[in-house]
Each structure stands twice: as structure tokens, then as C-alpha cells.
Amino acid sequence: MEHMKSEAEKKEYEKYVKQVTPVHSLPVNMAKAFLTGGLICVLGQALMNAGMDLGLNREDAGSWCSLLLVLLSALLTGWNIYPKLARFGGAGTLVPITGFANSVAAAAVEYQTEGEVFGKGSKIFSIAGPVILYGIFSSWVLGLIYWLGKILTWW
């Protein structure tokens, strides 16, 4: 019975937990995510438009836009700016290309003190690796389903 806490101790602990647990407002968090993700997308559209204004076709402008967004995301991560943006914008910073670049760059920054091979080399895809793995696997499964569907409808 020694291990059992009294009701007063439980209530006091619950009160303490409520005091130290941060309170989040869902509408505010959603607005911040929308604003942050929207601004990243506006930046991407501006880069795309600038590329087309410089005479690139749509596909080449899109490629340059992607490249520049990845570069900017990696640089901002290395300069410790992207994590601050992510704390503010939450899920809005997960816009696929910048969020993916951030996850790769963040691992490289975090493990750089352990050396090139055993630090950055072995840990750089620790977060992005599962995304790549399951992305390729799900593409393969969907391709197989599509292929089987084409064969079955041919008969």
C-alpha cells in the first residue's frame, strides 16, 4: 500500500501538470501554419515567375524554383533560422520540399561534431530515410496495382 498515492497527492500532481503544460490555441496554431506555409508557397511562386520572366520555360523555371527553395531551406537550417520559423509556423513549414530539405540539413548540423563518416554521413538521412523508403515502396505498390488493373481490364 506504500506505493499508492493519496487522493490529495494525485489532485496536487494534476494541478501541477496543468500549470506546467503549455496551453495551445488550435485556431491560432492553424492561422500561423497557414500564414507560414502560404508565405513559403508565395516565395516559390515568385521564384517561378521570376524564372519565366527571365525567359525560362515553365518546366525549367520550376526546376530552378525547387533548387532555390531547397538551397534556401538548407541555408536557413544551418544558420538556425528555419527551426525558429518552424517553432512559429508549426506544420506550415512542412511544405514538402522545404520541410524535406530542412530534415536532411538538420541531421547534418546536429551530427557534424561526430565527423564526416560516422556523424553526418551515417545520420544525414535518419529523418528523411523513412520518407524515401516508404515513398518508393508505396509508389511500387501503387504501380503494381495500376499494372494489374490494366491487365485485368484488358481481358
Side-chain angles (χ1 to χ4, degrees), residues 52-109:
M52 290 192 302
D53 289 346
L54 292 172
L56 296 175
N57 64 36
R58 187 169 188 79
E59 186 176 329
D60 289 342
S63 296
W64 275 103
C65 172
S66 297
L67 179 100
L68 291 172
L69 285 173
V70 167
L71 175 65
L72 184 61
S73 177
L75 289 174
L76 292 176
T77 300
W79 294 330
N80 202 29
I81 295 170
Y82 203 93
K84 292 174 185 171
L85 181 65
R87 265 192 301 281
F88 171 80
T93 59
L94 297 178
V95 174
I97 197 162
T98 56
F100 187 76
N102 172 59
S103 71
V104 173
V109 169

Side-chain angles (χ1 to χ4, degrees), residues 79-151:
W79 294 330
N80 202 29
I81 295 170
Y82 203 93
K84 292 174 185 171
L85 181 65
R87 265 192 301 281
F88 171 80
T93 59
L94 297 178
V95 174
I97 197 162
T98 56
F100 187 76
N102 172 59
S103 71
V104 173
V109 169
E110 184 177 350
Y111 293 102
Q112 68 183 344
T113 58
E114 296 178 28
E116 294 298 318
V117 175
F118 294 111
K120 288 189 263 185
S122 65
K123 301 289 186 178
I124 197 162
F125 289 110
S126 61
I127 295 173
V131 174
I132 295 169
L133 171 69
Y134 291 111
I136 291 171
F137 180 71
S138 61
S139 297
W140 180 83
V141 169
L142 291 173
L144 182 64
I145 292 169
Y146 176 77
W147 179 70
L148 288 173
K150 294 225 14 139
I151 287 176

